[in-house]
Amino acid sequence: MKDSGARGDSFTRPIWWEGDGPADAVVVIDQTRLPHDAVTARWSTLDDAVAGIGSMQVRGAPLIGVAAAHGVALAMRADPGSLEAACARLAATRPTAVNLRWALDRMARDLSEVPRAARAATARRLSQAIADEDVAACRRIGEAGLPLLRAIHERTGRPVQVMTHCNAGWLACVEWGTATAAVYLGHGSGLPVHVWVSETRPRNQGAALTTWELAQRGVPHTLVVDSAAGHLLGAGAVDVVIVGADRIAANGDTANKIGTSLKALAARDAGVPCYVAAPMSTFDAACPDGRAIPIEERDADEVLLVNGRRIAPEGTAARNWGFDVTPARLIDGFLTDRGLFTAAELPEAFRA
Ligand code: MRU
């Protein structure tokens, strides 16, 4: 993975194809370098894609799926016979976000019908189509959420106070984001909106990524520590909580970044509505409830070290779950590319 050296504040997507023919490459914003360096990395091989997803150069459920599709396309260029093996390697990179499996299943199904000689070109086209579809889906998620924000503003007459968690913005998708889509649509149309961003220990996606992308688009926001959520919600400083999702079970139980369930609990106690924003590719009908969702456990050093310095005594045990499950009963609604649903309405939404 080479740093292309490209810099700038004008990115509109976190992933794209560069060039045509044998030297083409996938370019991603290297999210491990934000907010300090807005630089890209180039993926030329399947190995690059596997390493890039694994090391979280790209992250966020929809983007992981899009990136995996691009990884398959790189693999098809090198060896059109490696479809199954490439999908297996990409599937093993991260376990919780079902969008990864969704995209790989789609690539495998469609490409298995295609003669090997045509697989590279078809795979590239398909990966681009998956990226473009994500843009359209996220915009529709925003359209589902915008009336809620407008109604809040009409009721309160002040800027709408949205609390989010982690990064479920355009850096986690392709454009718009999920949790941020209604915020961006509202901001773009003159609706006053302010976002409370929680830092999202231990990888700080809120502090490093959500603040960065909101600032790029000029959306007012304030960073708080994760444990400030109860205080803010209890003090009436938040009108609505909107978070993304990595996997939504058939009953509406939702896996998202660790800490989401505490926000949902505090929101319910404070009488603040909590919405999950996600495309249909995040719904997993095969998971009956949250207990069936695999939760990624990451290296304990992410908890034990801050900026390379140990913050706990040597020998301290630590656990580092990347996600938690918010029970459906704490979620007021799902903002999706097919509209707004309650948990009770989800089975129908799956079938549609
Ligand atoms: O570990 P990450 O950074 O991939 O986790 C991301 C999240 O939990 C997001 O909230 C989720 O994927 C929704 S992205 C639109």
Side-chain angles (χ1 to χ4, degrees), residues 1 4 16 33 46 86 130 163 248 260 268 275 333 340 352:
M1 279 172 291
S4 73
W16 63 93
R33 304 277 300 272
L46 171 66
I130 288 175
M163 174 180 279
I248 301 169
T260 302
R268 178 57 55 90
Y275 291 94
L340 169 60

Side-chain angles (χ1 to χ4, degrees), residues 56 59-61 94 166-168 172-173 178 205 245-246 256-257 323:
M56 295 176 70
R59 27 64 52 204
R94 298 198 66 195
C166 191
N167 173 260
C173 303
T178 56
Q205 291 95 327
D246 288 81
N256 191 50
K257 182 54 57 191
F323 302 91

Side-chain angles (χ1 to χ4, degrees), residues 307-321:
N307 294 334
R309 252 181 92 95
R310 186 164 285 276
I311 57 166
E314 204 65 54
T316 301
R319 301 283 299 268
N320 184 16
W321 293 279

Side-chain angles (χ1 to χ4, degrees), residues 109-152:
R109 190 185 58 234
D110 290 2
L111 289 172
S112 61
E113 312 281 312
V114 174
R116 289 189 177 186
R119 277 188 185 170
T122 308
R124 176 169 166 159
R125 253 196 329 275
L126 268 174
S127 67
Q128 185 62 57
I130 288 175
D132 293 340
E133 285 168 24
D134 186 75
V135 176
C138 285
R139 195 188 156 96
R140 288 198 295 273
I141 290 169
E143 287 162 355
L146 186 54
L148 299 173
L149 302 192
R150 284 202 196 290
I152 291 168

